[in-house]
Amino acid sequence: LIRQLDRRNADLARENLRLKVMTAPQEAQVVGESPAFQAALDLARRAASSPVPVLLLGETGTGKDVLANAIHRMGKRRNRPFVAQNCAALPETLLEGEL
């Protein structure tokens, strides 16, 4: 009985997360509840209101592209094409011009 309840709780947690993603505000479409994630999302909202390019730094696989897309969707230019630039792939001489 305990295993069945554990399995059911795990299933409900997965379904809850799926529903949160599906119903997240269109502006961001990212879901997270930790204080650190909420702070990052708040910073992303502030960056979205800025007219300047945003540089996101972090290790591979940390969700920089997801956050960049969220910033774009929250910004005034959301109806224009989203352009991501991998700065690590640019020669140093071109980086300043791109930014």
Side-chain angles (χ1 to χ4, degrees):
L1 181 62
I2 292 175
R3 285 186 184 160
Q4 286 176 329
L5 288 174
D6 286 344
R7 246 183 275 128
R8 182 68 179 145
N9 283 340
D11 290 343
L12 288 173
R14 278 192 297 277
E15 181 66 11
N16 189 29
L17 181 59
R18 187 183 73 78
L19 289 172
K20 280 183 180 182
V21 170
M22 287 176 52
T23 59
Q26 187 65 23
E27 68 175 21
Q29 288 189 341
V30 291
V31 177
E33 296 179 1
S34 74
F37 183 81
Q38 289 302 315
L41 198 53
D42 182 54
L43 188 57
R45 283 188 190 100
R46 287 186 281 152
S49 66
S50 173
V52 299
V54 176
L55 176 64
L56 300 176
L57 302 171
E59 299 294 321
T60 300
T62 57
K64 295 180 298 295
D65 197 50
V66 172
L67 193 58
N69 274 293
I71 291 169
H72 177 73
R73 283 191 302 272
M74 290 186 280
K76 292 179 182 177
R77 295 178 276 185
R78 68 180 140 276
N79 295 326
R80 297 176 66 192
F82 169 68
V83 179
Q85 180 65 57
N86 181 356
C87 294
L90 290 176
E92 190 175 323
T93 55
L94 297 178
L95 181 59
E96 185 176 332
E98 283 295 320
L99 297 176

